[in-house]
Amino acid sequence: MRLLGRLLLLLLFAIVAAFFYQPLRSLFQVPASAPDIIQQLDLEARPSPVYFLPEDGWLTFPIINQAARLRVLTHAGAHSEAKKEAPLRYVLKYQLLDNDLRLLHEGRYTQETRIPQPLYKDGIPVARNLYSDQALAVAVGQSFNMQLDALPRTAFVRLRLQPLAAPLKNVAVRVYYEERMSERQASVAWERLSQVQKERLTQGVIYPPELLTRQERLNLLERQWQPVGPLGTSPAQGTLFSIQGAETFVDPNLVPRAPGLYAGPDRLGVLPIEEEGRYRLQFIPLVDEGLDIELAISHVTEQIEQPSRERISLDSDPTSGERAFSPGLLVVTPNQPGMLDIIPLDSPEEESALPEPRYLRVWKVQPGLAVNFQFLPGESSGTSLRLDLRAHGSGKTLSQEKRIQAEYRLLNAQGKVVDAGKLEASVVPSMIDRVADTQPVADLSDPANFYLRLPPEAVHLEVTSQQQLLANAYTRPDDLPHRTRVPMDYYAWRGDNAGQPSWFILQPPATEPSTKEASLDAPEIEESLVLHVQSRPPGRNPELLAGRYQWEALDPQLAARGARILIPRQGEENLRPRGLPGYFQSLKQGTQIVEFNAPGVARRLEPQLIYLREASAPFSLRLRIDGRTVRHELIGRRGEISLPPVSPGQHEVELDANSPGTWFINYRYPDETGYLRRIAFRLQDEALRYPVDKREDGQLVGARFYSLGEAGEPSTVRVRITPDALKEEPAQEWTHLERLYQIVPTTEEAEVGHVLDRQYGRLSQGQPILINLGADIADGPVKVEFSLQSGAPGYVVFHEILPGQHLRTRGFNEEDDQ
């Protein structure tokens, strides 16, 4: 019995010793000596015990007091020669276990960190974190929280590393559990804190700890993170010293710039002007080289015309100049790098009118470093893919033109390749976008866009290249109509909230193997950059601006109801001389001199007179041209009559009517007050179907919709494009086959036009419906269908525009005189 009692006593002692080993061990250990540099430079350092995670086993931590939340902090140690600010990645696996060591949950966290820039004391660099016994570069600490409310039976958490990749050497970990105090416990704990501890705890408060209220002290102490050590008799551990008392080195290249938008000779500044008024342009050079500051300004407006251009010199301090601008885009090119700002002078606050910065994350593609994207397979409807590729010089200026090449593979859920191909394009350095952290370097190209329709089974995209490229991937369901708010979505300066995006960006998965044999434990290798992007000025075709194009109105199916409409010329396409027969200017009652013009006509032309009246009663009209008099007995509110032939040139015209009205006559050179007569087709209950012969990529067709609704009454027009065939290979142009255009006339636009073939009905100013037939559509017949989905009806003029010189043919019949 005595022997048995001694054995039981020995067993009890062993259990107690094992339980109290970790808390008591620190009492008998000699504290780790601080690194010598701390003493040499008289620095302060805060030591923290850390434990090194194994790669071939688990480090187990107990959950104390059934804590509801854990915090895990990790510090990666790398080779001492590791590059500063280079991204480092490591993966932690974790398991949550109950008291019987049964697995409740498992997963992994991927951490990305970097070696920070050193601190400086007396001109000597000092690492921010140091080990006393290891010559390692310690990366910025990373942390994550574990919420255990859903797993109340959790008793242990186990951690381990996936194999580390160079230059990483080890990963140290600290684990904390959340301890919650009652109000009474917090009050007692506060009184037990030293003055130094109180000041450290309240360092985020603007007044000293003595002035804290009882509730503020409770808020600071009711939730505390308490450290917990791992189980086991000899876990690998060390002491990490956090350096204090040194200064941060400020890199001149990273000093915050003056407020504004970066711009320079190779980087345009794009400034949206939402409201007409006077503005102050302000420019601060990055480096004062004594040069006079000049800004080249291009002002892009809604008018289809060559943007106005001017060059201004800035003076005074700060360098600035004042100008009046109408709504549009200002494209500014300074003669030297600097920060650009624009301030509205009509605003009482005179705050900057710069738009909010827009950023885009892009992913690196380079030799040996593929980028992967994952998407859902198409089931009920197909999915289309857009891939944007850019050349990147990695801090070196790009050449004026560069040929980029890449390869893509589409894989199914089993890792089998279902489609593959090559992508090639020529790109030029971007003057709009830039890498966010390399302002003065033009090392980025404009994007090359590639589009393709995905096979239904495709779930994975892999992009590879032997060049340094940047990639973005986007998808969109094929049955999702493309929505356009007319006209605000056409112009970047309108200032409205963004509409529905056309494409939806994809993020690369955390780790996505390209084949089934790829290791699931492989670390992430995708790297990314952040770009600063701006609105792109709308393109202006020089052929259209010069009037060298063929404009042709197209007719729909035979059953469509057509009518002549008269609408103000303002906002319509530029009028060329050949359009003078359809252009009308007002004619006053009484005698006046009128000059008739018609290109290519030397002897005879036949003008028309349009009348608009409020009354519908019959009336008499007398018109005398150069002494010849014609009389008409007319009826109705509106109509059109033909006049006697005249020769081009000046003529004396006298108009006399016994009823008030508005009168218009054609064949006169245009001005801003004129009207256009068009043949339009009513869009209400029946759809309008137009055949189009697609002959070239980027072929421009479009329409104008003239609403019959009042101001603020919306109309939604649906446009369906049905080609004979779609190309299967990737294309660099894209056509949305189904579109919705929402058109809302403003007060200024509503009820300004007339339907000449109806006695009632006022039309709004026409709004454009723009359609590009891209390279993804095979050449040949294409059907374009317009239907009114909702809202007020209206009239449609559908047309085709062919830029460049086109031969106009005229047919005639040859008859035999015999």
PDB file of all heavy atoms in Angstrom, residues 553-576:
ATOM      1  N   ALA A 553     -29.735  56.726 -95.091  1.00  0.00           N
ATOM      2  CA  ALA A 553     -30.857  56.272 -94.272  1.00  0.00           C
ATOM      3  C   ALA A 553     -31.347  54.932 -94.802  1.00  0.00           C
ATOM      4  O   ALA A 553     -31.465  54.727 -96.021  1.00  0.00           O
ATOM      5  CB  ALA A 553     -31.978  57.301 -94.298  1.00  0.00           C
ATOM      6  N   LEU A 554     -31.639  54.009 -93.897  1.00  0.00           N
ATOM      7  CA  LEU A 554     -32.093  52.664 -94.264  1.00  0.00           C
ATOM      8  C   LEU A 554     -33.576  52.529 -93.958  1.00  0.00           C
ATOM      9  O   LEU A 554     -34.085  53.092 -92.979  1.00  0.00           O
ATOM     10  CB  LEU A 554     -31.289  51.615 -93.492  1.00  0.00           C
ATOM     11  CG  LEU A 554     -29.765  51.671 -93.675  1.00  0.00           C
ATOM     12  CD1 LEU A 554     -29.087  50.593 -92.852  1.00  0.00           C
ATOM     13  CD2 LEU A 554     -29.395  51.523 -95.147  1.00  0.00           C
ATOM     14  N   ASP A 555     -34.259  51.766 -94.795  1.00  0.00           N
ATOM     15  CA  ASP A 555     -35.695  51.561 -94.633  1.00  0.00           C
ATOM     16  C   ASP A 555     -35.960  50.213 -93.980  1.00  0.00           C
ATOM     17  O   ASP A 555     -35.296  49.211 -94.290  1.00  0.00           O
ATOM     18  CB  ASP A 555     -36.404  51.608 -95.988  1.00  0.00           C
ATOM     19  CG  ASP A 555     -36.322  52.992 -96.620  1.00  0.00           C
ATOM     20  OD1 ASP A 555     -36.212  53.964 -95.841  1.00  0.00           O
ATOM     21  OD2 ASP A 555     -36.346  53.092 -97.854  1.00  0.00           O
ATOM     22  N   PRO A 556     -36.961  50.160 -93.074  1.00  0.00           N
ATOM     23  CA  PRO A 556     -37.314  48.884 -92.435  1.00  0.00           C
ATOM     24  C   PRO A 556     -38.256  48.074 -93.320  1.00  0.00           C
ATOM     25  O   PRO A 556     -38.390  48.342 -94.526  1.00  0.00           O
ATOM     26  CB  PRO A 556     -38.008  49.341 -91.153  1.00  0.00           C
ATOM     27  CG  PRO A 556     -38.646  50.643 -91.537  1.00  0.00           C
ATOM     28  CD  PRO A 556     -37.737  51.276 -92.549  1.00  0.00           C
ATOM     29  N   GLN A 557     -38.900  47.073 -92.704  1.00  0.00           N
ATOM     30  CA  GLN A 557     -39.835  46.232 -93.438  1.00  0.00           C
ATOM     31  C   GLN A 557     -40.955  47.074 -94.039  1.00  0.00           C
ATOM     32  O   GLN A 557     -41.250  48.172 -93.590  1.00  0.00           O
ATOM     33  CB  GLN A 557     -40.410  45.142 -92.522  1.00  0.00           C
ATOM     34  CG  GLN A 557     -41.423  45.661 -91.497  1.00  0.00           C
ATOM     35  CD  GLN A 557     -40.765  46.156 -90.225  1.00  0.00           C
ATOM     36  OE1 GLN A 557     -39.573  46.447 -90.226  1.00  0.00           O
ATOM     37  NE2 GLN A 557     -41.535  46.242 -89.157  1.00  0.00           N
ATOM     38  N   LEU A 558     -41.623  46.525 -95.070  1.00  0.00           N
ATOM     39  CA  LEU A 558     -42.600  47.303 -95.832  1.00  0.00           C
ATOM     40  C   LEU A 558     -43.775  47.760 -94.987  1.00  0.00           C
ATOM     41  O   LEU A 558     -44.376  48.795 -95.259  1.00  0.00           O
ATOM     42  CB  LEU A 558     -43.099  46.465 -97.023  1.00  0.00           C
ATOM     43  CG  LEU A 558     -42.044  46.135 -98.082  1.00  0.00           C
ATOM     44  CD1 LEU A 558     -42.645  45.256 -99.176  1.00  0.00           C
ATOM     45  CD2 LEU A 558     -41.477  47.411 -98.682  1.00  0.00           C
ATOM     46  N   ALA A 559     -44.137  47.012 -93.943  1.00  0.00           N
ATOM     47  CA  ALA A 559     -45.322  47.352 -93.158  1.00  0.00           C
ATOM     48  C   ALA A 559     -45.089  48.493 -92.181  1.00  0.00           C
ATOM     49  O   ALA A 559     -46.043  48.921 -91.507  1.00  0.00           O
ATOM     50  CB  ALA A 559     -45.809  46.111 -92.395  1.00  0.00           C
ATOM     51  N   ALA A 560     -43.883  49.005 -92.060  1.00  0.00           N
ATOM     52  CA  ALA A 560     -43.597  50.063 -91.090  1.00  0.00           C
ATOM     53  C   ALA A 560     -44.284  51.364 -91.500  1.00  0.00           C
ATOM     54  O   ALA A 560     -44.446  51.663 -92.692  1.00  0.00           O
ATOM     55  CB  ALA A 560     -42.091  50.276 -90.975  1.00  0.00           C
ATOM     56  N   ARG A 561     -44.701  52.142 -90.511  1.00  0.00           N
ATOM     57  CA  ARG A 561     -45.402  53.394 -90.740  1.00  0.00           C
ATOM     58  C   ARG A 561     -44.395  54.537 -90.735  1.00  0.00           C
ATOM     59  O   ARG A 561     -43.820  54.867 -89.710  1.00  0.00           O
ATOM     60  CB  ARG A 561     -46.466  53.628 -89.672  1.00  0.00           C
ATOM     61  CG  ARG A 561     -47.548  52.561 -89.653  1.00  0.00           C
ATOM     62  CD  ARG A 561     -48.699  52.947 -88.752  1.00  0.00           C
ATOM     63  NE  ARG A 561     -48.259  53.423 -87.448  1.00  0.00           N
ATOM     64  CZ  ARG A 561     -49.100  53.793 -86.492  1.00  0.00           C
ATOM     65  NH1 ARG A 561     -50.399  53.730 -86.701  1.00  0.00           N
ATOM     66  NH2 ARG A 561     -48.639  54.222 -85.336  1.00  0.00           N
ATOM     67  N   GLY A 562     -44.191  55.142 -91.905  1.00  0.00           N
ATOM     68  CA  GLY A 562     -43.242  56.232 -92.019  1.00  0.00           C
ATOM     69  C   GLY A 562     -43.927  57.586 -92.010  1.00  0.00           C
ATOM     70  O   GLY A 562     -45.127  57.713 -92.264  1.00  0.00           O
ATOM     71  N   ALA A 563     -43.168  58.630 -91.715  1.00  0.00           N
ATOM     72  CA  ALA A 563     -43.691  59.991 -91.696  1.00  0.00           C
ATOM     73  C   ALA A 563     -42.535  60.952 -91.857  1.00  0.00           C
ATOM     74  O   ALA A 563     -41.387  60.649 -91.513  1.00  0.00           O
ATOM     75  CB  ALA A 563     -44.449  60.265 -90.398  1.00  0.00           C
ATOM     76  N   ARG A 564     -42.840  62.141 -92.390  1.00  0.00           N
ATOM     77  CA  ARG A 564     -41.849  63.208 -92.467  1.00  0.00           C
ATOM     78  C   ARG A 564     -41.851  63.945 -91.128  1.00  0.00           C
ATOM     79  O   ARG A 564     -42.907  64.296 -90.608  1.00  0.00           O
ATOM     80  CB  ARG A 564     -42.178  64.167 -93.600  1.00  0.00           C
ATOM     81  CG  ARG A 564     -42.060  63.557 -94.992  1.00  0.00           C
ATOM     82  CD  ARG A 564     -42.649  64.489 -96.020  1.00  0.00           C
ATOM     83  NE  ARG A 564     -44.061  64.769 -95.743  1.00  0.00           N
ATOM     84  CZ  ARG A 564     -44.768  65.752 -96.316  1.00  0.00           C
ATOM     85  NH1 ARG A 564     -44.181  66.561 -97.183  1.00  0.00           N
ATOM     86  NH2 ARG A 564     -46.038  65.932 -96.017  1.00  0.00           N
ATOM     87  N   ILE A 565     -40.664  64.169 -90.582  1.00  0.00           N
ATOM     88  CA  ILE A 565     -40.553  64.904 -89.326  1.00  0.00           C
ATOM     89  C   ILE A 565     -39.672  66.121 -89.547  1.00  0.00           C
ATOM     90  O   ILE A 565     -38.823  66.143 -90.453  1.00  0.00           O
ATOM     91  CB  ILE A 565     -39.983  64.019 -88.196  1.00  0.00           C
ATOM     92  CG1 ILE A 565     -38.551  63.581 -88.506  1.00  0.00           C
ATOM     93  CG2 ILE A 565     -40.874  62.807 -87.930  1.00  0.00           C
ATOM     94  CD1 ILE A 565     -37.858  62.851 -87.362  1.00  0.00           C
ATOM     95  N   LEU A 566     -39.884  67.129 -88.733  1.00  0.00           N
ATOM     96  CA  LEU A 566     -39.096  68.353 -88.779  1.00  0.00           C
ATOM     97  C   LEU A 566     -38.548  68.603 -87.382  1.00  0.00           C
ATOM     98  O   LEU A 566     -39.300  68.761 -86.422  1.00  0.00           O
ATOM     99  CB  LEU A 566     -39.965  69.531 -89.224  1.00  0.00           C
ATOM    100  CG  LEU A 566     -39.221  70.840 -89.512  1.00  0.00           C
ATOM    101  CD1 LEU A 566     -38.405  70.712 -90.786  1.00  0.00           C
ATOM    102  CD2 LEU A 566     -40.209  72.004 -89.635  1.00  0.00           C
ATOM    103  N   ILE A 567     -37.227  68.609 -87.293  1.00  0.00           N
ATOM    104  CA  ILE A 567     -36.608  68.719 -85.968  1.00  0.00           C
ATOM    105  C   ILE A 567     -35.470  69.743 -86.025  1.00  0.00           C
ATOM    106  O   ILE A 567     -34.861  69.965 -87.075  1.00  0.00           O
ATOM    107  CB  ILE A 567     -36.080  67.349 -85.473  1.00  0.00           C
ATOM    108  CG1 ILE A 567     -35.521  66.485 -86.594  1.00  0.00           C
ATOM    109  CG2 ILE A 567     -37.177  66.574 -84.791  1.00  0.00           C
ATOM    110  CD1 ILE A 567     -34.150  66.646 -86.929  1.00  0.00           C
ATOM    111  N   PRO A 568     -35.168  70.427 -84.889  1.00  0.00           N
ATOM    112  CA  PRO A 568     -34.064  71.401 -84.894  1.00  0.00           C
ATOM    113  C   PRO A 568     -32.747  70.730 -85.246  1.00  0.00           C
ATOM    114  O   PRO A 568     -32.479  69.583 -84.869  1.00  0.00           O
ATOM    115  CB  PRO A 568     -34.044  71.937 -83.459  1.00  0.00           C
ATOM    116  CG  PRO A 568     -35.411  71.654 -82.925  1.00  0.00           C
ATOM    117  CD  PRO A 568     -35.867  70.392 -83.596  1.00  0.00           C
ATOM    118  N   ARG A 569     -31.916  71.465 -85.963  1.00  0.00           N
ATOM    119  CA  ARG A 569     -30.623  70.908 -86.363  1.00  0.00           C
ATOM    120  C   ARG A 569     -29.688  70.724 -85.181  1.00  0.00           C
ATOM    121  O   ARG A 569     -28.795  69.892 -85.215  1.00  0.00           O
ATOM    122  CB  ARG A 569     -29.974  71.841 -87.384  1.00  0.00           C
ATOM    123  CG  ARG A 569     -28.570  71.394 -87.792  1.00  0.00           C
ATOM    124  CD  ARG A 569     -27.998  72.264 -88.881  1.00  0.00           C
ATOM    125  NE  ARG A 569     -26.597  71.943 -89.089  1.00  0.00           N
ATOM    126  CZ  ARG A 569     -25.583  72.664 -88.612  1.00  0.00           C
ATOM    127  NH1 ARG A 569     -25.836  73.750 -87.922  1.00  0.00           N
ATOM    128  NH2 ARG A 569     -24.347  72.305 -88.839  1.00  0.00           N
ATOM    129  N   GLN A 570     -29.877  71.443 -84.105  1.00  0.00           N
ATOM    130  CA  GLN A 570     -28.972  71.372 -82.960  1.00  0.00           C
ATOM    131  C   GLN A 570     -28.877  69.951 -82.445  1.00  0.00           C
ATOM    132  O   GLN A 570     -29.879  69.289 -82.196  1.00  0.00           O
ATOM    133  CB  GLN A 570     -29.470  72.284 -81.840  1.00  0.00           C
ATOM    134  CG  GLN A 570     -28.544  72.326 -80.638  1.00  0.00           C
ATOM    135  CD  GLN A 570     -29.090  73.233 -79.554  1.00  0.00           C
ATOM    136  OE1 GLN A 570     -30.199  73.734 -79.667  1.00  0.00           O
ATOM    137  NE2 GLN A 570     -28.305  73.440 -78.518  1.00  0.00           N
ATOM    138  N   GLY A 571     -27.628  69.467 -82.266  1.00  0.00           N
ATOM    139  CA  GLY A 571     -27.410  68.118 -81.765  1.00  0.00           C
ATOM    140  C   GLY A 571     -27.378  67.058 -82.840  1.00  0.00           C
ATOM    141  O   GLY A 571     -27.007  65.921 -82.577  1.00  0.00           O
ATOM    142  N   GLU A 572     -27.772  67.375 -84.077  1.00  0.00           N
ATOM    143  CA  GLU A 572     -27.721  66.396 -85.153  1.00  0.00           C
ATOM    144  C   GLU A 572     -26.324  66.352 -85.765  1.00  0.00           C
ATOM    145  O   GLU A 572     -25.440  67.134 -85.425  1.00  0.00           O
ATOM    146  CB  GLU A 572     -28.761  66.763 -86.224  1.00  0.00           C
ATOM    147  CG  GLU A 572     -30.189  66.776 -85.718  1.00  0.00           C
ATOM    148  CD  GLU A 572     -30.731  65.388 -85.433  1.00  0.00           C
ATOM    149  OE1 GLU A 572     -30.394  64.451 -86.162  1.00  0.00           O
ATOM    150  OE2 GLU A 572     -31.507  65.247 -84.460  1.00  0.00           O
ATOM    151  N   GLU A 573     -26.140  65.406 -86.700  1.00  0.00           N
ATOM    152  CA  GLU A 573     -24.849  65.291 -87.358  1.00  0.00           C
ATOM    153  C   GLU A 573     -24.552  66.574 -88.158  1.00  0.00           C
ATOM    154  O   GLU A 573     -25.448  67.317 -88.551  1.00  0.00           O
ATOM    155  CB  GLU A 573     -24.837  64.074 -88.303  1.00  0.00           C
ATOM    156  CG  GLU A 573     -24.884  62.737 -87.582  1.00  0.00           C
ATOM    157  CD  GLU A 573     -26.300  62.343 -87.204  1.00  0.00           C
ATOM    158  OE1 GLU A 573     -27.231  63.089 -87.555  1.00  0.00           O
ATOM    159  OE2 GLU A 573     -26.464  61.296 -86.553  1.00  0.00           O
ATOM    160  N   ASN A 574     -23.247  66.785 -88.398  1.00  0.00           N
ATOM    161  CA  ASN A 574     -22.865  67.935 -89.211  1.00  0.00           C
ATOM    162  C   ASN A 574     -23.523  67.846 -90.577  1.00  0.00           C
ATOM    163  O   ASN A 574     -23.559  66.786 -91.203  1.00  0.00           O
ATOM    164  CB  ASN A 574     -21.339  67.979 -89.377  1.00  0.00           C
ATOM    165  CG  ASN A 574     -20.656  68.390 -88.091  1.00  0.00           C
ATOM    166  OD1 ASN A 574     -21.273  69.000 -87.227  1.00  0.00           O
ATOM    167  ND2 ASN A 574     -19.381  68.065 -87.969  1.00  0.00           N
ATOM    168  N   LEU A 575     -24.029  68.971 -91.038  1.00  0.00           N
ATOM    169  CA  LEU A 575     -24.727  69.010 -92.313  1.00  0.00           C
ATOM    170  C   LEU A 575     -23.753  69.380 -93.419  1.00  0.00           C
ATOM    171  O   LEU A 575     -23.040  70.380 -93.332  1.00  0.00           O
ATOM    172  CB  LEU A 575     -25.870  70.026 -92.250  1.00  0.00           C
ATOM    173  CG  LEU A 575     -26.757  70.102 -93.488  1.00  0.00           C
ATOM    174  CD1 LEU A 575     -27.552  68.806 -93.644  1.00  0.00           C
ATOM    175  CD2 LEU A 575     -27.706  71.291 -93.396  1.00  0.00           C
ATOM    176  N   ARG A 576     -23.737  68.577 -94.456  1.00  0.00           N
ATOM    177  CA  ARG A 576     -22.894  68.864 -95.604  1.00  0.00           C
ATOM    178  C   ARG A 576     -23.733  69.518 -96.705  1.00  0.00           C
ATOM    179  O   ARG A 576     -24.964  69.457 -96.688  1.00  0.00           O
ATOM    180  CB  ARG A 576     -22.259  67.562 -96.119  1.00  0.00           C
ATOM    181  CG  ARG A 576     -21.338  66.903 -95.104  1.00  0.00           C
ATOM    182  CD  ARG A 576     -20.972  65.503 -95.545  1.00  0.00           C
ATOM    183  NE  ARG A 576     -22.158  64.656 -95.611  1.00  0.00           N
ATOM    184  CZ  ARG A 576     -22.208  63.516 -96.290  1.00  0.00           C
ATOM    185  NH1 ARG A 576     -21.147  63.106 -96.956  1.00  0.00           N
ATOM    186  NH2 ARG A 576     -23.307  62.808 -96.315  1.00  0.00           N
TER     187      ARG A 576
END
